């Protein structure tokens, strides 16, 4: 079975440019999560969706970040405009039904490695 | 608020030696606990999880972890480490019914041949 698929795997962009990260969750999973990993802050939950609806976006760092889930098989995380401090690995993850708090495992993609210069 | 502490940033062990990675959590009620492993340039892979029942949990790759409520701990163990176990290990916690999985800062494991 295909796991969580993220694209691009690596991106280098200039400060001020728009960045769009994409995610295809595992088929049949109802919950989708976006995490960011940095050396300074570790793994942080940015936002999660349940049944395509954003449930908690309190981790989104600022208005430059936005996330959408137009259907059950696709989500995007957009940064506009990008800044050097946004350089990080962005992970998308998905989980069956209601997520880890209901006894389900979160499955992670391989990450999108973003460098903003 | 829930939190996880992994007190060891780096650990080095010899191949064949036993391993214990420490994890302490803070959560008011019974937590759901996870251990994930991350190899360089890769995503996170679940090793094992604890929700209820037997406090000794078996996972993949020969790992196990024991939930100790009295110590608020969920330490990861392996009786004999292989060179391929070198990676970063993350402990994580979520409250029942919640979905915000909170990760520790990770422990980087180095295996000496």
């Amino acid at each position: 079975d295909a796991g969580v698929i993220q694209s691009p795997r690596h991106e280098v962009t200039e400060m001020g440019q728009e960045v769009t990260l994409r995610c295809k969750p595992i088929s049949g999973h109802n919950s989708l999560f976006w995490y960011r990993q940095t050396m300074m802050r570790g793994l942080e939950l940015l936002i999660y969706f349940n049944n395509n609806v954003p449930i908690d976006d309190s981790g989104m760092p600022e208005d430059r970040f936005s996330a959408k889930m137009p259907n059950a098989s696709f989500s995007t995380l957009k940064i506009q405009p990008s800044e050097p401090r946004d350089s990080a690995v962005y992970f998308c993850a998905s989980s069956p039904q209601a997520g880890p708090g209901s006894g389900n495992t979160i499955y992670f993609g391989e990450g999108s490695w973003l460098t903003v210069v | 608020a829930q939190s996880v502490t992994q007190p060891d940033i780096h650990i080095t062990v010899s191949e064949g030696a036993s391993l214990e990675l420490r994890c302490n959590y803070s959560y008011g009620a019974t937590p759901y606990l996870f251990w994930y492993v991350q190899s360089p340039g890769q995503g996170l892979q679940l090793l094992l999880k604890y929700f209820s029942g037997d406090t000794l949990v078996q996972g993949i790759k020969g790992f196990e972890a024991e939930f100790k409520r009295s110590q608020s701990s969920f330490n990861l163990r392996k009786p004999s480490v292989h060179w391929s176990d070198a990676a970063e290990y993350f402990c994580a916690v979520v409250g029942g019914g919640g979905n915000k999985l909170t990760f520790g800062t990770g422990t980087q494991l180095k295996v000496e041949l």
Side-chain angles (χ1 to χ4, degrees):
Chain A
D1 288 339
V4 176
I5 299 172
Q6 294 186 242
S7 65
R9 287 295 315 278
H10 299 272
E11 178 146 352
V12 180
T13 191
E14 292 185 345
M15 181 174 62
Q17 296 297 306
E18 177 180 292
V19 174
T20 299
L21 308 179
R22 298 173 177 80
C23 175
K24 177 179 170 55
I26 294 172
S27 178
H29 283 192
N30 298 88
S31 293
L32 183 138
F33 307 81
W34 282 101
Y35 279 85
R36 178 172 69 176
Q37 185 179 36
T38 61
M39 290 292 292
M40 292 297 294
R41 301 174 67 90
L43 277 157
E44 305 172 277
L45 177 64
L46 300 179
I47 185 171
Y48 77 89
F49 296 82
N50 186 252
N51 292 324
N52 311 337
V53 176
I55 303 301
D56 187 340
D57 64 355
S58 61
M60 295 286 264
E62 48 196 277
D63 292 345
R64 297 185 297 106
F65 287 69
S66 63
K68 294 182 179 180
M69 192 166 185
N71 57 62
S73 60
F74 184 66
S75 177
T76 60
L77 178 68
K78 186 174 293 186
I79 308 173
Q80 168 62 20
S82 59
E83 297 182 2
R85 60 193 168 115
D86 302 330
S87 298
V89 185
Y90 291 83
F91 288 103
C92 178
S94 70
S95 178
Q97 299 172 350
S102 299
N104 298 297
T105 297
I106 292 182
Y107 297 85
F108 283 79
E110 293 191 330
S112 291
W113 300 67
L114 175 65
T115 302
V116 183
V117 298
Chain B
Q2 61 203 37
S3 65
V4 176
T5 301
Q6 294 181 248
D8 303 307
I9 299 174
H10 298 279
I11 283 186
T12 300
V13 298
S14 299
E15 189 175 37
S18 63
L19 171 70
E20 182 168 28
L21 302 182
R22 295 184 291 167
C23 171
N24 292 97
Y25 68 89
S26 174
Y27 184 68
T30 299
Y32 292 168
L33 295 157
F34 303 76
W35 275 100
Y36 280 85
V37 61
Q38 184 180 27
S39 297
Q42 301 297 314
L44 282 78
Q45 181 184 22
L46 180 72
L47 286 175
L48 48 78
K49 60 185 179 183
Y50 170 79
F51 292 129
S52 64
D54 193 346
T55 56
L56 184 62
V57 180
Q58 302 297 320
I60 63 171
K61 304 184 180 186
F63 285 92
E64 67 178 25
E66 186 170 12
F67 171 60
K68 293 185 177 180
R69 184 189 301 276
S70 62
Q71 298 177 20
S72 298
S73 69
F74 188 57
N75 294 348
L76 182 71
R77 301 193 295 248
K78 187 170 185 178
S80 178
V81 170
H82 188 263
W83 65 267
S84 60
D85 293 325
E88 189 156 21
Y89 292 80
F90 293 91
C91 182
V93 65
V94 66
N99 265 332
K100 298 186 73 169
L101 192 61
T102 299
F103 285 86
T105 50
T107 297
Q108 186 72 47
L109 174 65
K110 180 180 177 181
V111 180
E112 291 183 333
L113 300 177

